[in-house]
Amino acid sequence: MRSSLIIIGFFASGVVLGLSGKLPNGFDFDKFGSYALYLLMFLAGLSIGSDKNSWSVLATHNYKIIWVPVTIIIGTLTGSALVSLILPSLTMKESMAVGAGFGYYSLSSVFITQLHSHSLGVTALLSNIFREVFTLLATPILVSYFGNLAGIASGGATAMDTTLPVISKYSGKSYAIIAVFSGIVLTILVPFLVTFILS
Amino acid sequence: MIVILIVLSAGILTGLLLIKRPKIHRINNHLLNWAIYLLLFLLGLSVGTNKEVIQNLGKIGYEALVIALASIFGSVILSGLLFKLLFNKNAK
């Protein structure tokens, strides 16, 4: 929660400064933004590659566990594709790209902003923050209705960090390992899936 | 877009080469956080100067909420099926 507040803080101060109209003329943040994005992607890759945990968890050969992120991907993309039918101003692709953030709002919103548009970037930011907050609040109820994987599914990419405590509490410690595995797989896939969907 | 995926893969490979240096991993995670803060600040700036987005903020918020709920319920319902099929038997 603390990190979401920091992130909202940076975003909000940008909005306020933008609204104030006190920006120097001719500052091209789109161009600057795409260089910043390359830097971000490189650093994100570095952090995945240099983390021993991401490889040791991926090396787990229990075939059942791989179905968890696969199910979450299929469920998320199906849900976000279907719901685009009641959202007239969004295409199916746009809605799926927002869904494919799996709660990883910081990276997915920045990504969608650069690849598509500012307004869809804001949609992705808000939508994926909602996913994290909803998971924190609703995991106890979801687990009692849909079983022990429900919190992991709802949390998506956040199941490896911010929503892990609540998942571990209501689904049990043995599910915490599955949560971390699923969260890591989804986190790694976010940039690939978003790019693929929007291309 | 291909450039982005190449940059990402280059990062992963570089990370693999540096896997035995936990210090670099820690420093990198700080840098990563600040890169994200910077980009979100920039997103905020472009939103603040973009009248179209500001005027539609209510609509964007509504759409964001609807997509979030649809994504969550799609995956939660499927995960319920998976749980019954594969996980429940050996749970106890």
Side-chain angles (χ1 to χ4, degrees), chain A residues 12-58:
Chain A
S13 49
V15 174
V16 171
L17 186 65
L19 281 173
S20 73
K22 282 179 184 157
L23 284 175
N25 281 334
F27 179 65
D28 185 355
F29 22 68
D30 283 334
K31 198 170 181 188
F32 185 63
S34 53
Y35 289 126
L37 181 69
Y38 293 149
L39 176 69
L40 177 71
M41 292 323 299
F42 184 76
L43 293 174
L46 198 66
S47 118
I48 294 167
S50 64
D51 190 343
K52 281 184 195 142
N53 291 331
S54 54
W55 301 105
S56 66
V57 176
L58 285 173

Side-chain angles (χ1 to χ4, degrees), chain B residues 24-66:
Chain B
I24 288 184
H25 184 66
R26 232 178 308 132
I27 295 169
N28 178 59
N29 280 342
H30 279 291
L31 287 176
L32 182 61
N33 276 338
W34 282 101
I36 286 174
Y37 297 155
L38 172 70
L39 278 156
L40 280 159
F41 178 71
L42 288 176
L43 176 59
L45 271 185
S46 51
V47 165
T49 48
N50 188 327
K51 281 193 185 117
E52 213 189 307
V53 173
I54 287 293
Q55 280 165 356
N56 291 315
L57 211 53
K59 190 176 132 256
I60 289 175
Y62 163 76
E63 289 171 347
L65 184 64
V66 172

Side-chain angles (χ1 to χ4, degrees), chain A residues 6 31 34 51 109 120 178-179 188 193 195:
Chain A
I6 295 175
K31 198 170 181 188
S34 53
D51 190 343
S109 61
L120 199 65
I178 303 178
I188 293 172
L193 279 174
T195 309

Side-chain angles (χ1 to χ4, degrees), chain A residues 77-134:
Chain A
L77 295 182
T78 312
S80 54
L82 287 178
V83 87
S84 70
L85 300 173
I86 61 160
L87 297 171
S89 57
L90 290 181
T91 67
M92 194 174 273
K93 262 188 176 185
E94 289 167 338
S95 179
M96 286 168 80
V98 172
F102 300 107
Y104 195 174
Y105 47 81
S106 50
L107 193 68
S108 69
S109 61
V110 163
F111 226 71
I112 290 176
T113 303
Q114 302 299 330
L115 293 178
H116 193 276
S117 65
H118 291 145
S119 77
L120 199 65
V122 177
T123 313
L125 177 67
L126 296 176
S127 185
N128 286 293
I129 288 176
F130 288 149
R131 185 162 185 166
E132 180 184 298
V133 173
F134 184 87

